[in-house]
Amino acid sequence: MKVTAVIAEYNPFHNGHLYQLDTIRQTCDTDSIIVVMSGDFMQRGIPAIVDKYERCQMALDNGADLVFELPVYFALGSAEYFAQGAVSLIDKLGVVDFLHFGSESGDASLLYRFTSTTLAHESDAYRTALNRHLKLGCSFPAARDNALSELFSDDSGIKQLVSAPNNILGIEYIKALIQRDSTIKPVTLARKGEGYASDSLAPDSFASANAIRRALFAGTQNRIPDRIKDHVPTSVYASLQQNTFLCTNDFSELLLYKMLQDAVSGKDAFAAYYDIGAPLSHTLHNKLPGYTTFEDFALSCKTRNLTYTRICRGLMHILLDMTQENADALKQQDYAQYARLLGFTARGRQLLGSIKANASIPVITKPSSALRHLSGTGLMSLRSDIHAADIYDSVRQQKRIRLSDTVSNDPLNMIRHNELTRQIIKHGQT
């Protein structure tokens, strides 16, 4: 049995994603497709537009066989940490033959050669150039691009290779596979359609998830724009019609409350959070009196060497109580500590037995079972996943109430979910 894995966010699932899964079936001699998908928060420091279970179902309805959740510490990490966490999870399942990803390059051999000779085991020349540009005040992505451009000054294609967002993630996936000495083979598909930041919904092109989200937010309650229909599978369009969509600013009040609580301890109040540190903590503390919304606050803290995305991720780490100590512990213990199953098809059920027999980490099919399998760093990671889901569900429920001005049955589900969190915390501390 041949198994292909995909790392995704599906925020939301669209025709470009469908094209990838269809291509895997047609060209990779694949029997089953496993998706490792971010939960309720995305790598760029934004919430998912709809929750992880709904996005999981979108994937299962359109070609995926099994969907596992990427733990929140990795889902909300830098490109490198995101890739290391996802690849470690895939590798530890013990059944995956191929890792398939989209890229602007579309040339897996080129990406592999570049990564294996340059980044998998960083040279002294690269590190020296990188540190020099960081000291000049460049953001990490800009410093990396400049360093590589210096090392490959005779190759005009290198800068383009390492500046395209999907190429960057692909390179990080390959680097993680090489560093793990994994037998999984990387396979890439040339990305078609609009770029990540595009707002275009041209009918003859694959729209980006960003463009689809913008169009959904421009719609009205119970009425999403008809033009979305051309860019997502039929099942996804039907699901989106039933949803309340979340954006970053929906978390504004909660973030402000959390930051005001912490800020009383001084300028270093936020330094211990994941990927913050003292300099950014001081900036956040100084800017806090002018706080209006999540997005405006992030923009106000942006500097030459601190990107808007990096700040948004840091703010989400504060909101979700994610610490640098915990992130470091996961890295030291080889990243993924478990594989939490979100959903599967009939074909996926058959593969699940093989995964349970071959995986080197516990396969969690329901959170309560984690109490029998996890401890220490693993339990911390799962508690963080559940806490993030609680925050997300609470904000979504409040938005639904504001939009409808009526109370549905959903609060009972939220209370049950929160009770599970309390049980896990209680058992984890005893």
Side-chain angles (χ1 to χ4, degrees), residues 65-275:
D65 298 308
L66 283 161
V67 179
F68 290 96
E69 179 178 1
L70 181 63
V72 68
Y73 265 91
F74 310 128
L76 268 173
S78 66
E80 180 180 22
Y81 200 75
F82 176 97
Q84 292 284 357
V87 169
S88 72
L89 197 162
I90 289 167
D91 196 39
K92 291 176 182 181
L93 293 178
V95 300
V96 176
D97 300 287
F98 306 104
L99 172 58
H100 197 282
F101 57 89
S103 68
E104 289 82 3
S105 166
D107 187 340
S109 61
L110 172 63
L111 293 172
Y112 191 93
R113 288 197 305 273
F114 172 76
T115 306
S116 61
T117 59
T118 308
L119 295 178
H121 306 288
E122 294 176 352
S123 67
D124 290 340
Y126 169 73
R127 284 184 175 275
T128 299
L130 177 67
N131 289 332
R132 183 171 66 255
H133 286 287
L134 287 172
K135 289 178 181 178
L136 289 173
C138 295
S139 66
F140 180 83
R144 178 196 55 214
D145 293 352
N146 291 338
L148 291 171
S149 294
E150 284 183 13
L151 295 178
F152 295 90
S153 58
D154 58 339
D155 188 340
S156 61
I158 291 298
K159 187 171 182 64
Q160 182 178 359
L161 186 71
V162 300
S163 61
N166 293 100
N167 283 349
I168 291 170
L169 270 179
I171 287 169
E172 292 295 345
Y173 296 152
I174 293 171
K175 184 173 78 173
L177 289 172
I178 292 172
Q179 291 176 341
R180 300 187 68 80
D181 196 23
S182 176
T183 60
I184 297 172
K185 179 181 177 181
V187 181
T188 192
L189 175 68
R191 181 186 172 99
K192 293 187 175 182
E194 302 296 329
Y196 172 85
S198 171
D199 291 339
S200 173
L201 287 175
D204 57 347
S205 178
F206 291 142
S208 70
N210 182 62
I212 293 170
R213 289 195 301 272
R214 284 180 177 270
L216 290 172
F217 286 124
T220 59
Q221 186 185 5
N222 300 322
R223 174 72 176 174
I224 66 175
D226 291 338
R227 56 191 175 139
I228 295 295
K229 188 180 296 186
D230 294 332
H231 298 283
V232 298
T234 302
S235 61
V236 173
Y237 185 75
S239 175
L240 291 173
Q241 288 181 308
Q242 308 301 316
N243 269 286
T244 300
F245 308 123
L246 290 193
C247 67
T248 312
N249 277 345
D250 290 322
F251 293 79
S252 295
E253 293 180 4
L254 195 58
L255 174 65
L256 176 59
Y257 176 74
K258 179 68 167 61
M259 294 187 73
L260 288 174
Q261 279 190 313
D262 292 340
V264 295
S265 58
K267 289 189 174 183
D268 289 327
F270 312 112
Y273 288 110
Y274 175 26
D275 205 24

